[in-house]
Amino acid sequence: MKKILVVNGPNINILGKRELEIYGDLSYNNLVDELKSYAKKKDVCLDEFQSNSEGAIIDKLQELIDGEYDALIINPAAYSHYSYAIYDALKAIKIKKVEVHLTNIFARDEFRKTSVTAGACDGVISGFGFDSYKLAIDYLLREE
């Protein structure tokens, strides 16, 4: 059974309460429940972690260096656009990694169109809401 860790960055924990016109009215718990259910159907052990703190995210990523997980899905949220520290932590991890975003970052504010963390990942999936994570799971399960 594959083990995948999902790491979510700042403000993802207040889904369903913020910018409803952009993120919708489903909560973070809805996201986690939906992903765990999807993963279970795929015979995947999925753990999740969310923090609004850059340092806590980096600490969690560094735990992956020792190989407890087979793959990582990360939504660095706003940190995507400027956190070279998260980029460096991602570079140190030698498992498959996919960056995801709920919204299409290329159709939003100008500053959101650049992700400094994306270059440390195998790919980026953006703009499909909760399905962005499911598409990442499907990619990570592909045998190459």
Side-chain angles (χ1 to χ4, degrees), residues 83-102:
S83 181
Y84 294 103
I86 290 176
Y87 169 88
D88 287 342
L90 287 166
K91 289 293 278 188
I93 300 166
K94 302 304 179 201
I95 58 176
K96 285 184 177 181
K97 305 171 285 273
V98 176
E99 179 171 312
V100 301
H101 296 280
L102 294 162

Side-chain angles (χ1 to χ4, degrees), residues 22-68:
I22 295 173
Y23 296 102
D25 60 358
L26 295 175
S27 71
Y28 183 70
N29 287 337
N30 294 138
L31 172 64
V32 171
D33 291 345
E34 194 170 315
L35 293 181
K36 286 194 179 251
S37 175
Y38 188 78
K40 186 176 181 179
K41 291 176 192 170
K42 300 277 185 173
D43 197 31
V44 170
C45 175
L46 186 131
D47 293 327
E48 60 84 24
F49 174 82
Q50 187 279 327
S51 180
N52 295 317
S53 168
E54 183 179 32
I57 292 168
I58 292 166
D59 289 342
K60 191 64 172 178
L61 292 174
Q62 288 179 356
E63 291 176 16
L64 298 178
I65 293 171
D66 295 327
E68 181 182 345

Side-chain angles (χ1 to χ4, degrees), residues 117-128:
T117 53
C121 295
D122 296 292
V124 178
I125 300 171
S126 171
F128 298 102

